[in-house]
């Protein structure tokens, strides 16, 4: 996904100002595609320059008034084109996993505490997603657009469930490591299993 397409999606759901988009990114879209306030405003300018969105006319002209934007037909067509295009999965790049691999060579100082911290963060995020699911997706909410939005939320729930389970397993493995392996004084780097 790219930021322009995230913004087009958000604006098609509801015409908004840059500030409103920033708040929406913080509360919903940001769970799977984050952007800063500056990035959103820059992208709004680009999208407007390409004729994909337009600023809505203000009810009363006033200096410093926030502009609200809506998607033009060309923007809807671009989003439909992008949504229909095939895209390969992206390879996982996670620094925690790389740090864990490095710990096999240089020792585990600090990594176990960080695994515990990550576990707590993922548990909190999982709880937040589950609360959103209870609040926003009761069993009787079955419109097609709601079902698709719920699928996105379920992906977040399933990913957080995976991370909490994997981190708990990793911490169990740490508890079984001999002390020499924990501090990097066990096998020499070249003799460590790949």
């Amino acid at each position: 996904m790219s930021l322009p397409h995230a913004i087009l999606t958000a604006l098609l759901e509801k015409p908004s100002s840059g500030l409103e988009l920033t708040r929406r990114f913080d509360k919903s879209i940001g769970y799977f595609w984050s952007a800063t306030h500056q990035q959103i405003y820059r992208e709004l300018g680009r999208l407007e320059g390409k004729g994909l969105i337009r600023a809505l006319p203000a009810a009363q002209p006033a200096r410093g008034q926030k502009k609200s934007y809506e998607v033009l037909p060309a923007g809807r067509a671009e989003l439909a084109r992008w949504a229909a295009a095939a895209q390969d999965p992206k390879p996982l790049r996670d620094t925690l996993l790389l740090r864990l691999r490095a710990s096999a060579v240089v020792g585990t100082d600090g990594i176990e505490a960080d695994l515990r911290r990550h576990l707590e963060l993922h548990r909190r995020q999982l709880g937040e997603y589950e609360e959103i699911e209870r609040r926003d997706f009761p069993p009787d909410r079955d419109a097609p657009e709601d079902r698709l939005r719920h699928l996105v939320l379920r992906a977040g729930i399933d990913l957080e469930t995976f991370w909490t389970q994997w981190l708990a397993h990793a911490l169990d493995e740490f508890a079984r490591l001999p002390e020499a392996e924990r501090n990097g004084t066990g096998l020499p780097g070249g003799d460590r299993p790949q």
Side-chain angles (χ1 to χ4, degrees), residues 37-129:
H37 185 77
Q38 293 84 3
Q39 289 171 319
I40 290 171
Y41 274 93
R42 247 190 330 268
E43 199 56 52
L44 285 169
R46 287 185 190 122
L47 291 168
E48 191 174 26
K50 291 179 180 178
L52 301 179
I53 65 171
R54 73 174 179 133
L56 292 169
Q60 299 174 354
R63 190 165 183 241
Q65 184 177 22
K66 63 182 181 181
K67 288 193 237 179
S68 286
Y69 296 88
E70 70 176 355
V71 177
L72 295 171
R76 179 180 280 276
E78 167 53 23
L79 186 60
R81 181 211 58 78
W82 177 81
Q87 193 171 39
D88 292 337
K90 300 284 184 218
L92 176 64
R93 293 177 59 172
D94 190 290
T95 56
L96 180 64
L97 297 177
L98 185 56
R99 289 174 51 229
L100 194 57
R101 177 74 184 243
S103 295
V105 178
V106 298
T108 61
D109 283 347
I111 192 84
E112 186 173 2
D114 206 34
L115 287 171
R116 290 185 193 288
R117 186 178 70 82
H118 276 253
L119 178 57
E120 181 53 35
L121 292 170
H122 284 288
R123 282 180 175 156
R124 255 190 266 148
Q125 188 66 67
L126 177 58
E128 196 171 321
Y129 285 163

